[in-house]
Amino acid sequence: MIPASYVGRFAPSPTGPLHVGSLVAAVASWLDARAVGGRWLVRMEDLDVPRCEPGAADTILSQLEAYGLHWDGAVLLQSQRDDAYAEALAALQSIGVVYPCACTRSQLADASRNHEGEIIYPGTCRNGLPAGTVARAWRVSVPDVSTYFHDRIHGDLQQNLAHEVGDFIVKRADGLYAYQLAVVVDDAFQGITHVVRGADLLWNTPRQIYLQSLLGLPTPVYAHVPLITNAAGQKLSKQTLAPALPETGCGAVLTRALATLGHPPPDELAGAEPSEQLAWASAHWHIENVPTEAAIANPVSTPENCLTPDP
Ligand code: GLU
């Protein structure tokens, strides 16, 4: 059952303009909120300052406007939330669940990896810093138990954090707070009840649920929509040179994004103004119709259209 007080969000990292993969996630989260008369907030995850691109946040907002994805209230900037993250870290320190870690990336290079390709932290610093080393980051100790969670698209899932992730970083060696900590602090601060985001973050969810439990924060309801991949099967991203979402011809792109989400608009609305298509889609939105595949090939990468990368 969807509560009347639904609050959703879209939380892009302004490392570059939105691409069609981010559009699919934004549209899904917007529709899921608007279909029940809920609020939809935008949060700029500009925490990782070195990775942010100047001007990208403004570009993202103007892309959202162009696609008719209007948000409620002011945009929250993670770059202005350090005090809140510091407070959360202090709370974790006060209950003794975090510890300083001296390991460098290269020291961990040979550690085993999980199915996402992430290093499973072997616990090197868990019982104290090895002699002669200095603290670089902060990690949270995870328990050797399964975290059970429900995803509205992927169903009932579980992960043992100790086996599949290991103690994870909450404050990085460069002094920045980690995404996992910031996201739970901000989801709670913004009163987010429902998270709808890309499936690349599905297996981050148990880490976030664990931090929420330690910090006494509510756990939102989660849904992870398919990622969009390029012709080589890679996730669209800045690293894989995904082309920016165009701000003209949006109707045609939106039609394909909706089809990818299992909600193809009727023929008479294909390519129509975004506001018309979104009005139709929010009236017909059923999250059960979203494909359960973790990844789907880019629906807008045919040679004749403007989203095709340059050769
Ligand atoms: N900032 C993340 C991204 O752009 C999304 C985080 C989230 O939705 O939890 O991939």
Side-chain angles (χ1 to χ4, degrees), residues 9 11-13 45 179 183 197 201:
R9 50 70 157 183
S13 306
E45 299 212 325
Y179 157 69
V183 76
R197 60 185 177 189
L201 295 167

Side-chain angles (χ1 to χ4, degrees), residues 4-284:
S5 55
Y6 185 118
V7 185
R9 50 70 157 183
F10 178 56
S13 306
T15 54
L18 298 182
H19 49 70
V20 71
S22 16
L23 176 70
V24 165
V27 166
S29 128
W30 189 94
L31 287 173
D32 200 56
R34 298 310 194 204
V36 293
R39 285 166 56 76
W40 190 69
L41 311 182
V42 171
R43 175 169 79 231
M44 278 301 156
E45 299 212 325
D46 56 352
L47 196 62
D48 194 344
V49 181
R51 286 187 57 230
C52 292
E53 188 181 284
D58 288 341
T59 304
I60 289 172
L61 296 178
S62 98
Q63 289 173 309
L64 290 175
E65 297 270 10
Y67 283 81
L69 301 171
H70 305 296
W71 58 92
D72 296 307
V75 173
L76 186 71
L77 302 179
Q78 285 196 327
S79 54
Q80 297 181 2
R81 301 264 305 140
D82 259 22
D83 290 352
Y85 310 142
E87 212 177 288
L89 178 62
L92 296 174
Q93 286 165 334
S94 73
I95 55 170
V97 291
V98 288
Y99 61 86
C101 172
C103 298
T104 61
R105 214 180 274 269
S106 60
Q107 282 166 340
L108 296 174
D110 295 333
S112 36
R113 290 178 182 259
N114 62 21
H115 64 283
E116 304 278 290
E118 297 168 310
I119 284 169
I120 303 171
Y121 184 64
T124 320
C125 298
R126 193 177 219 204
N127 298 314
L129 295 176
T133 62
V134 287
R136 306 175 76 245
W138 282 87
R139 288 184 186 269
V140 61
S141 307
V142 299
D144 185 0
V145 294
S146 289
T147 300
Y148 293 87
F149 66 108
H150 178 78
D151 181 280
R152 290 163 66 211
I153 296 171
H154 299 275
D156 292 325
L157 300 168
Q158 59 164 299
Q159 184 182 55
N160 179 310
L161 284 171
H163 296 177
E164 293 174 50
V165 178
D167 298 342
F168 60 91
I169 288 183
V170 286
K171 189 172 187 192
R172 301 173 7 172
D174 59 8
L176 296 175
Y177 292 95
Y179 157 69
Q180 309 293 351
L181 183 72
V183 76
V184 301
V185 169
D186 288 341
D187 281 341
F189 175 71
Q190 294 189 286
I192 303 302
T193 59
H194 290 71
V195 170
V196 178
R197 60 185 177 189
D200 53 332
L201 295 167
L202 178 63
W203 292 107
N204 283 236
T205 308
R207 273 167 262 190
Q208 295 170 16
I209 292 174
Y210 176 56
L211 285 178
Q212 286 153 1
S213 73
L214 292 175
L215 291 165
L217 302 175
T219 292
V221 177
Y222 289 96
H224 291 84
V225 301
L227 280 187
I228 304 303
T229 54
N230 64 19
Q234 301 161 312
K235 176 193 164 186
L236 295 189
S237 70
K238 188 175 171 182
Q239 289 73 30
T240 60
L241 306 178
L245 202 56
E247 289 186 51
T248 55
C250 304
V253 177
L254 183 59
T255 298
R256 298 203 202 180
L258 288 169
T260 301
L261 285 167
H263 291 74
D267 285 352
E268 64 275 17
L269 280 181
E273 280 303 307
S275 57
E276 284 180 58
Q277 295 191 60
L278 290 174
W280 174 86
S282 54
H284 292 84

